[in-house]
Amino acid sequence: DIQMTQSPSSLSASVGDRVTITCRASQSISRYLNWYQQKPGKAPKLLIYAASSLQSGVPSRFSGSGSGTDFTLTISSLQPEDFATYYCQQSYSTPLYTFGQGTRLEIK
Amino acid sequence: QVQLVESGGGLVKPGGSLRLSCAVSGFTFSDYYMSWIRQAPGKGLEWVSNITSSGTFVNYADSVKGRFTISRDNAKNSLYLQMNSLRAEDTAVYYCAREHFYYGSGSTFDWWGQGTLVTVSS
């Protein structure tokens, strides 16, 4: 199975900060990498697909980059509604999908 | 609008069975692969199973293989997960999710239900 490792596991930041979350795959997954946002008690929401494509309706302050084994999710200017947990997910080894362990983004 | 609504969760004893349902509306159900994904309390996301659009092919995570069965009824716009021989470690919120394939870019879970909680405890 392809293992996905996110760093950091948790992060404190302030409104207006630029934040970067990293996701590393245990083997090359090309650009088959998605990012999700999950708020407490809610279902995950798709933010970024294919490493860098913004899902319809997602604010442009979210961006993704990377290929191979290393990927990043960047939020250019944190808004209050962005405090949540973020997950990466690989779709290279369809259908044996795997997620990262999550990064909890908290208010400083 | 797209809606996925899970039901059927609850408290069950170890070794027991439960059947989850996911009622879908707002898109042509029979055009899409569907998945079940679970989240143990306070933990991350784990893909459980998926089924092709026609229901011909199914796949399972090793952790549930031989115990869970995924199925669908395209006439009823519904997805199911039959869970047998349940264990404490199956305790989780179970989400149904639509799989969307992007040509040359892999697939995503682009729509999710609100989840249904399954608790396995004596």
Side-chain angles (χ1 to χ4, degrees):
Chain A
D1 291 6
I2 299 176
Q3 308 301 317
M4 307 300 294
T5 304
Q6 291 181 230
S7 60
S9 295
S10 63
L11 174 60
S12 294
S14 302
V15 173
D17 284 353
R18 180 183 180 90
V19 166
T20 297
I21 297 168
T22 297
C23 178
R24 176 164 289 175
S26 60
Q27 67 181 73
S28 177
I29 59 170
S30 185
R31 293 175 59 83
Y32 291 69
L33 191 283
N34 307 314
W35 289 98
Y36 300 85
Q37 176 194 65
Q38 186 179 33
K39 296 182 179 179
K42 300 294 186 182
K45 171 188 172 184
L46 176 65
L47 298 177
I48 302 283
Y49 64 93
S52 60
S53 295
L54 196 65
Q55 175 70 351
S56 176
V58 174
S60 59
R61 63 181 180 272
F62 291 92
S63 64
S65 65
S67 66
T69 59
D70 295 317
F71 301 86
T72 59
L73 172 70
T74 299
I75 309 172
S76 60
S77 178
L78 272 174
Q79 299 302 300
E81 60 268 29
D82 299 337
F83 292 95
T85 300
Y86 293 84
Y87 293 93
C88 62
Q89 173 247 327
Q90 63 82 18
S91 66
Y92 181 83
S93 64
T94 303
L96 300 179
Y97 304 111
T98 47
F99 293 85
Q101 82 279 14
T103 294
R104 185 175 179 183
L105 178 54
E106 299 173 319
I107 301 174
K108 185 182 287 184
Chain B
Q1 72 279 24
V2 172
Q3 279 196 311
L4 296 83
V5 180
E6 301 94 338
S7 61
L11 175 64
V12 61
K13 289 182 169 53
S17 297
L18 213 54
R19 189 194 195 208
L20 305 184
S21 298
C22 173
V24 162
S25 60
F27 66 94
T28 304
F29 181 62
S30 58
D31 283 349
Y32 289 88
Y33 287 31
M34 297 293 295
S35 272
W36 288 98
I37 297 159
R38 68 185 180 183
Q39 186 170 36
K43 302 297 185 183
L45 300 164
E46 179 188 18
W47 174 82
V48 171
S49 178
N50 81 339
I51 187 168
T52 56
S53 53
S54 64
T56 302
F57 298 102
V58 298
N59 297 283
Y60 300 96
D62 286 345
S63 57
V64 307
K65 201 172 292 183
R67 300 186 299 122
F68 289 12
T69 302
I70 190 172
S71 62
R72 66 191 296 161
D73 185 335
N74 286 345
K76 293 183 177 179
N77 288 345
S78 292
L79 175 72
Y80 306 102
L81 186 68
Q82 177 67 42
M83 304 185 295
N84 298 333
S85 303
L86 282 161
R87 307 167 179 166
E89 54 265 36
D90 295 318
T91 295
V93 173
Y94 285 73
Y95 296 99
C96 62
R98 188 179 84 168
E99 291 187 44
H100 185 97
F101 289 85
Y102 293 90
Y103 180 75
S105 299
S107 62
T108 69
F109 303 112
D110 65 343
W111 286 97
W112 299 61
Q114 85 288 350
T116 188
L117 176 62
V118 172
T119 303
V120 184
S121 175
S122 55

